[in-house]
């Protein structure tokens, strides 16, 4: 979720802010109790918009970099704020976890080893970690030419999504199809960023993504006759449609939306525990539009302070470590 400093992606930053607000709205506004939630999953739309932005930005943050530089950049960008959120969650959420589960949650790899996540929103970070592992593998295999092979990673993600759908239908209902679709969304965005939306490769990838979303939605969630098929299909479709509209507008509003993106990671991590923190002081606080608005505003204030005092210093620290090595020749 980093930002290439010299890239014209200010509107893409706005997309991150919108995605975080959508997820917060889904969790806090009472949206899940509305009838429309059976047909449109607003939270997952926000999540897949996040995935698209992550894939779009990774083109800048990975091109021509060594494994060491890429890992250090991701570590200093993601983990300090994440660790603070884990501590905050443990303190305020009305749940109890054993010490090993808490310890594993500090790694961001807890679900790989079968441990519970202490906050529901962390599930997307697991998919982000899988994505970064694939990027590391690509850097090792292809080095500075890795961006020329994006279609390979996209194809592998599509195969994974279809394979997990087959597992869901035949063997295990809990198969994590979202990993395959999440990776496919990120690599679709990377292809569009690398080649442009009008390029045949990008259009072909978009068509394959649409068919994959249709197949995984129908066979994974539509076989029991419920509306889950429509809900998942609309989730993928609306998220990508929003992303493409934002992409089309990326050159029009430069320099206006950077802060929205910079605070989005914190808003995503902290909106639920901040709500529970407020509930300690506000008797009878319930999910609803007012709770979402008040919680979002307070969370953004907290996130601004954390951005200035935690995120920025650690990001600068990470840049100092990566500057110790000569810059690699970019494939862009």
């Amino acid at each position: 979720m980093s930002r290439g400093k010299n890239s014209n992606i200010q509107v893409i930053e706005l997309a991150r802010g919108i995605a975080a607000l959508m997820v917060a709205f889904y969790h806090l506004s009472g949206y899940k109790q509305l009838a429309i939630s059976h047909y449109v999953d607003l939270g997952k739309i926000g999540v897949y918009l996040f995935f698209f932005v992550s894939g779009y930005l990774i083109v800048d943050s990975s091109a021509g970099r060594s494994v060491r530089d890429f890992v250090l950049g991701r570590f200093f960008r993601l983990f300090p704020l994440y660790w603070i959120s884990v501590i905050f969650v443990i303190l305020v959420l009305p749940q109890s976890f054993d010490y090993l589960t808490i310890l594993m949650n500090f790694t961001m790899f807890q679900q790989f080893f079968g441990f519970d996540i202490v906050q529901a929103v962390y599930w997307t970070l697991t998919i982000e970690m899988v994505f970064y592992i694939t990027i590391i593998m690509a850097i090792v295999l292809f080095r500075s030419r890795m961006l020329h092979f994006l279609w390979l990673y996209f194809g592998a993600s599509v195969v994974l999504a279809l394979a997990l759908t087959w597992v869901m239908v035949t063997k295990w209902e809990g198969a994590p199809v979202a990993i395959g679709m999440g990776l496919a969304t990120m690599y679709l965005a990377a292809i569009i960023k690398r080649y442009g939306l009008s390029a045949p490769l990008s259009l072909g990838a978009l068509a394959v993504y649409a068919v994959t979303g249709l197949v995984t939605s129908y066979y994974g969630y539509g076989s029991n006759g419920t509306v889950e098929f429509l809900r998942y299909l609309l989730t993928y479709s609306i998220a990508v449609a929003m992303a493409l509209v934002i992409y089309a507008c990326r050159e029009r509003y430069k320099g206006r939306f950077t802060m929205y993106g910079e605070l989005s990671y914190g808003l995503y991590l902290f909106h639920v525990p901040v709500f529970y923190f407020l509930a300690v002081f506000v008797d009878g606080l319930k999910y609803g539009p007012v709770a979402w608005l008040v919680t979002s505003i307070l969370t953004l204030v907290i996130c601004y302070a954390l951005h200035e005092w935690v995120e920025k210093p650690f990001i600068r620290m990470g840049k100092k470590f990566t500057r110790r090595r000569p810059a690699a020749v970019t494939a862009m």
Side-chain angles (χ1 to χ4, degrees):
M1 298 181 182
S2 68
R3 180 173 54 92
K5 185 175 181 180
N6 296 320
S7 299
N8 296 323
I9 57 171
Q10 285 79 7
V11 175
I12 304 301
E13 295 284 10
L14 177 61
R16 292 201 296 177
I18 292 172
L21 287 171
M22 290 175 69
V23 173
F25 187 84
Y26 176 79
H27 288 146
L28 305 177
S29 68
Y31 176 86
K32 289 186 284 187
Q33 280 70 52
L34 300 178
I36 193 175
S37 67
H38 297 294
Y39 301 94
V40 178
D41 191 327
L42 197 64
K44 284 190 173 65
I45 291 173
V47 165
Y48 278 89
L49 186 55
F50 259 130
F51 287 155
F52 188 95
V53 173
S54 291
Y56 187 93
L57 298 180
I58 209 68
V59 173
D60 286 331
S61 61
S62 64
R65 302 184 75 183
S66 66
V67 170
R68 174 187 179 276
D69 287 355
F70 178 76
V71 171
L72 285 174
R74 294 293 81 201
F75 176 82
F76 283 103
R77 176 64 183 93
L78 297 178
F79 275 90
L81 194 64
Y82 172 75
W83 285 339
I84 294 174
S85 79
V86 172
I87 295 171
F88 191 45
V89 165
I90 297 301
L91 292 176
V92 303
L93 258 62
Q95 295 174 277
S96 60
F97 298 94
D98 61 80
Y99 291 115
L100 185 56
T101 296
I102 294 173
L103 182 63
M104 289 300 300
N105 269 261
F106 280 96
T107 70
M108 212 182 285
F109 287 90
Q110 59 272 25
Q111 289 182 286
F112 286 109
F113 300 100
F115 288 89
D116 292 332
I117 49 178
V118 299
Q119 183 184 192
V121 300
Y122 290 166
W123 72 270
T124 64
L125 300 180
T126 300
I127 298 178
E128 289 274 357
M129 289 298 103
V130 174
F131 181 54
Y132 295 147
I133 290 171
T134 67
I135 293 295
I136 291 170
M137 293 171 60
I139 293 173
V140 172
L141 292 173
F142 304 116
R143 298 188 183 276
S144 63
R145 294 179 59 83
M146 60 167 291
L147 294 179
H148 295 292
F149 296 89
L150 286 172
W151 60 273
L152 285 175
Y153 321 141
F154 173 74
S157 302
V158 166
V159 171
L160 178 62
L162 296 175
L164 289 172
T165 301
W166 178 81
V167 172
M168 174 186 282
V169 173
T170 61
K171 299 180 181 298
W172 177 34
E173 290 185 2
V177 176
I179 292 179
M181 285 304 298
L183 291 172
T185 304
M186 288 186 268
Y187 276 120
L188 172 66
I191 288 172
I192 291 173
K193 172 67 182 295
R194 175 66 177 84
Y195 297 100
L197 183 57
S198 61
L201 183 61
S202 298
L203 294 174
L206 187 59
V208 171
Y209 181 88
V211 172
T212 304
L214 177 63
V215 171
T216 58
S217 299
Y218 180 77
Y219 288 100
Y221 304 100
S223 58
N224 57 3
T226 68
V227 296
E228 288 290 286
F229 157 58
L230 178 62
R231 188 163 70 96
Y232 276 84
L233 184 60
L234 285 175
T235 293
Y236 302 140
S237 301
I238 294 174
V240 172
M242 289 179 63
L244 294 179
V245 169
I246 292 168
Y247 171 81
C249 298
R250 69 195 182 284
E251 299 289 343
R252 297 186 180 183
Y253 305 102
K254 297 179 182 179
R256 300 181 182 180
F257 304 116
T258 299
M259 184 56 66
Y260 294 95
E262 290 176 342
L263 299 183
S264 62
Y265 183 44
L267 177 60
Y268 184 79
L269 292 176
F270 284 91
H271 67 275
V272 172
V274 167
F275 172 83
Y276 280 98
F277 176 76
L278 280 174
V280 174
F281 301 97
V282 181
D283 187 41
L285 182 65
K286 296 181 180 179
Y287 295 133
V290 174
W292 166 70
L293 181 61
V294 173
T295 302
S296 296
I297 292 173
L298 179 59
T299 305
L300 287 171
V301 171
I302 293 172
C303 291
Y304 180 80
L306 290 172
H307 179 68
E308 293 295 321
W309 299 336
V310 177
E311 289 187 278
K312 280 187 176 180
F314 276 101
I315 290 172
R316 286 195 294 267
M317 186 183 301
K319 289 179 179 179
K320 288 180 180 179
F321 279 107
T322 57
R323 283 172 184 165
R324 292 177 181 175
R325 294 169 61 92
V329 177
T330 181
M332 295 296 287

